[in-house]
Amino acid sequence: MQLSIDTSVAQLQQQVEYLQIQLESERQEHIQEIQQIQKFQTLLQHITEHILDSLDDRKILTIIIQELVDLLQLNRCQIELYNPCLTSATVTYEYSAVLPHFQGLTTVIADFPQIYQSLLQKQIWQSIEIVPGHYSGLQMMNQLACPIFDHRGILGNIWLIWHTEAKFGEQEISFLQQIANKCAIAIRQSRLQAKTKAQIQEIEKQERQKNEFLKQLSQELRTPITNINLAVQTLESLMTPTGILDIEIGSQLLQILHHECGRENKLLNDLLSFAYLKTHSESPTLITMALPLPL
């Protein structure tokens, strides 16, 4: 009986020790999760501050991929952006501790339908595969792609590359989706600024063209008036109480006066027509024309 009791006590002690070890392991994992969440929240706050302080999406997205590599101990992080037709995606930003580098590489969407079908539907894509190493041998590669989108549409993807067998967990995926939302805000904000800047430049260009037009118009209007004044002064010098000293020159001066008055009148009519068209713009009238077919 004593031997049986000692054996039971030893087994209980082993179970207690095992439970203590397991409990300590779970406690450490819980502490690590809390620390990871705190790091995630700190990074999100950091990114939010950059978005509020800057409209430069290049600076913000570069900081994001660098912070992701450092925080998650990645081998590579990329951000690719779609072209307007969503037929290709180009690696616009990359941060990598290993070779080769792929920044500027353009991928045709039709060449990888299984991958981009999910991403274009705003779904996470993840894979683990064995690939050739850069120098020799084989290595594991874990890839996670998260779409960048907002209510206006999809913009691109964030790619995380990790040379390990371990899959990205739900916590990392949730965090990456929040980062993708921040990326979408930064990209839209930057594009809106670029569009606004282009509109301002176009307005300034139109204003310069208008000022140049008015300058040329004033010169055109001044020229006939100057010629009329000269003709009138010359005509006055030829007139005497008994008549005009030179009938031929007087006739030429009258022709000049008629010509310049007509020129001034045409310029004024053109100016009035231009002002009317500026204030009463009308849609163009389309006319159907039957062209003869070549023989």
Side-chain angles (χ1 to χ4, degrees):
M1 289 180 63
Q2 184 64 37
L3 181 60
S4 177
I5 291 172
D6 292 341
T7 302
S8 299
V9 171
Q11 291 177 349
L12 288 174
Q13 288 178 345
Q14 290 178 354
Q15 292 178 0
V16 169
E17 291 175 358
Y18 173 76
L19 290 174
Q20 288 177 342
I21 294 173
Q22 188 176 15
L23 181 62
E24 179 63 21
S25 177
E26 291 178 355
R27 189 177 73 87
Q28 291 297 331
E29 290 180 359
H30 184 62
I31 292 174
Q32 291 177 358
E33 288 180 359
I34 293 176
Q35 292 175 346
Q36 189 81 328
I37 292 174
Q38 290 175 346
K39 291 179 181 179
F40 288 165
Q41 295 301 327
T42 301
L43 178 56
L44 283 172
Q45 181 64 29
H46 188 206
I47 294 172
T48 301
E49 292 173 356
H50 277 290
I51 292 175
L52 293 175
D53 295 339
S54 175
L55 297 176
D56 187 357
D57 62 330
R58 295 174 297 178
K59 177 181 177 181
I60 296 171
L61 297 180
T62 301
I63 291 174
I64 287 175
I65 60 176
Q66 292 176 352
E67 295 283 354
L68 284 174
V69 170
D70 295 337
L71 180 59
L72 300 176
Q73 297 299 303
L74 303 172
N75 296 96
R76 189 188 305 274
C77 184
Q78 299 171 339
I79 293 180
E80 63 177 4
L81 300 178
Y82 291 112
N83 66 340
C85 300
L86 301 180
T87 57
S88 65
T90 301
V91 178
T92 311
Y93 305 94
E94 181 184 43
Y95 188 74
S96 174
V98 296
L99 296 175
H101 296 294
F102 298 99
Q103 185 164 344
L105 178 66
T106 298
T107 302
V108 178
I109 305 302
D111 294 341
F112 302 91
Q114 295 181 348
I115 298 175
Y116 286 96
Q117 183 177 3
S118 299
L119 294 174
L120 289 173
Q121 293 177 357
K122 304 175 183 178
Q123 298 175 358
I124 292 286
W125 182 86
Q126 184 172 193
S127 74
I128 299 178
E129 56 185 342
I130 300 176
V131 297
H134 180 59
Y135 297 103
S136 62
L138 301 176
Q139 63 182 6
M140 299 296 299
M141 185 170 68
N142 185 357
Q143 297 183 91
L144 174 65
C146 179
I148 302 172
F149 64 92
D150 57 10
H151 67 283
R152 298 177 59 184
I154 191 162
L155 300 168
N157 306 296
I158 302 178
W159 285 84
L160 307 185
I161 294 94
W162 199 12
H163 293 167
T164 179
E165 297 179 7
K167 294 185 66 175
F168 291 97
E170 294 182 1
Q171 187 176 3
E172 286 87 0
I173 292 175
S174 176
F175 168 68
L176 186 60
Q177 289 173 329
Q178 297 179 61
I179 293 292
N181 293 336
K182 299 294 184 181
C183 291
I185 294 173
I187 294 171
R188 288 296 188 193
Q189 185 173 267
S190 179
R191 290 183 178 180
L192 178 61
Q193 182 203 26
K195 183 178 180 180
T196 303
K197 184 178 180 180
Q199 290 175 344
I200 292 174
Q201 291 176 346
E202 182 64 24
I203 292 173
E204 292 175 348
K205 177 182 177 182
Q206 293 179 359
E207 189 68 21
R208 289 194 300 269
Q209 291 176 345
K210 185 185 73 173
N211 293 335
E212 185 66 23
F213 169 75
L214 293 176
K215 180 181 177 180
Q216 293 180 357
L217 180 63
S218 63
Q219 293 176 351
E220 291 293 330
L221 290 174
R222 191 181 295 113
T223 300
I225 295 297
T226 302
N227 293 335
I228 290 172
N229 287 332
L230 290 175
V232 170
Q233 292 174 8
T234 305
L235 188 61
E236 287 178 348
S237 65
L238 294 177
M239 295 181 65
T240 62
T242 59
I244 299 178
L245 297 178
D246 194 328
I247 300 297
E248 184 178 355
I249 294 178
S251 177
Q252 293 177 356
L253 292 173
L254 287 176
Q255 290 180 359
I256 292 174
L257 288 174
H258 284 298
H259 178 269
E260 295 301 329
C261 286
R263 180 180 175 187
E264 187 76 10
N265 187 52
K266 182 178 183 303
L267 288 173
L268 291 174
N269 289 334
D270 291 342
L271 179 60
L272 291 174
S273 299
F274 175 77
Y276 177 83
L277 292 175
K278 290 286 288 184
T279 55
H280 300 81
S281 58
E282 298 179 357
S283 58
T285 303
L286 302 179
I287 301 175
T288 303
M289 298 181 63
L291 299 177
L293 296 176
L295 298 178

